[in-house]
Amino acid sequence: MTGILASRALIKLELARALRNRKFLFFSVLYPSIIFLIFAGSSGTDEKVDGTGLTVATYLMVSMASFGALTAVLMGNSERIAKERESGWVRQLRLTPLPGHGYVLAKTASAAVVSLPSIVMVFIVAAVVKDVRLDAWQWLALTGVIWAGSLVFAALGVAIGYLASGDAVRPITMIVYFALSLLGGLWMPSAGFPRWLQDIAEWLPTYAYAALGRAVEQSQAPHARDVAVLAVYFVLFAGGAAWLYRKDTLKA
């Protein structure tokens, strides 16, 4: 019971810190919407992406909402944790009743909550500027699946924060961030990739992540394979984060 209360307290603290960081809020909330307007700006309202039946704006809306959530949870978690380790904050947390798995869950949950505004902002911009129209249930379902899927990358951010430290964490995070975004088809349809690269992309978490949202837009149930891929990655990332946390504890 004490551990649960400690986890809740840490989540509240993390949310308060994130909301006070204006630079972080700009990049996680406004940046994806700006990129959406740049990419979708030249497309007509009826122009469609081949093989999907979706308009360019509708297709890119899911891509950029997913990209925004990825930005919020991955970039925010990894660098913040690395800095906390260097400053001794994590060492202080070990003196509290907070368990190792509680720390990982608190970091993952708080980062995912912060990702919600970036998702909603992209939806608002797409609806107002590019006239994207969906049924009410689709808007709700899209928000739910993209938000829930961001937990996978929040766990990855925690793992990277414990895998690297100091000056190394930022370049490692950026490489992972851009590789997942580009190869996973968040910036452009992966159908334009060479066949061998498409085969790789289909097994990336970002590809499955965006596929969930596009299935909702097409009024279809998410494919079981995409759900399974994300579930496996979440277990791997969360398990790796917990293991790295315990390993770091033993070093202290």
Side-chain angles (χ1 to χ4, degrees), residues 103-127:
Y103 175 85
V104 173
L105 291 177
K107 286 290 187 179
T108 301
S110 60
V113 170
V114 175
S115 72
L116 188 60
S118 68
I119 297 170
V120 174
M121 180 61 72
V122 172
F123 289 170
I124 292 174
V125 171

Side-chain angles (χ1 to χ4, degrees), residues 8-20:
R8 290 178 179 175
L10 181 59
I11 290 175
K12 292 180 181 179
L13 176 61
E14 290 298 319
L15 286 174
R17 292 173 62 190
L19 294 175
R20 287 198 301 265

Side-chain angles (χ1 to χ4, degrees), residues 6 37 40 50 59 66 68 72 87 100 106 115 119 122 133 149 152 164 181 190 195 200 203 208 226 234 247:
L37 290 175
D50 294 340
Y59 184 94
S66 303
S87 67
S115 72
I119 297 170
V122 172
R133 294 291 179 265
V152 176
S181 299
S190 57
R195 183 66 252 177
I200 295 174
W203 292 101
D226 295 324
F234 178 74
K247 182 180 178 182

Side-chain angles (χ1 to χ4, degrees), residues 54 58-59 62-63 66 123 134 137-138 140-153 184 186 204-231:
L54 301 173
T58 306
Y59 184 94
V62 164
S63 294
S66 303
F123 289 170
L134 297 173
W137 73 266
Q138 289 176 300
L140 291 174
L142 274 177
T143 303
V145 298
I146 295 176
W147 178 80
S150 69
L151 293 171
V152 176
F153 306 100
L186 298 187
L204 293 177
T206 36
Y207 181 93
Y209 184 36
L212 295 183
R214 294 188 185 116
V216 172
E217 288 183 323
Q218 295 167 328
S219 299
Q220 300 174 357
H223 293 126
R225 171 177 163 174
D226 295 324
V227 175
V229 167
L230 285 176

Side-chain angles (χ1 to χ4, degrees), residues 59-77:
Y59 184 94
L60 286 174
M61 182 182 73
V62 164
S63 294
M64 290 300 106
S66 303
F67 176 66
L70 172 67
T71 302
V73 299
L74 181 60
M75 301 296 289
N77 253 355

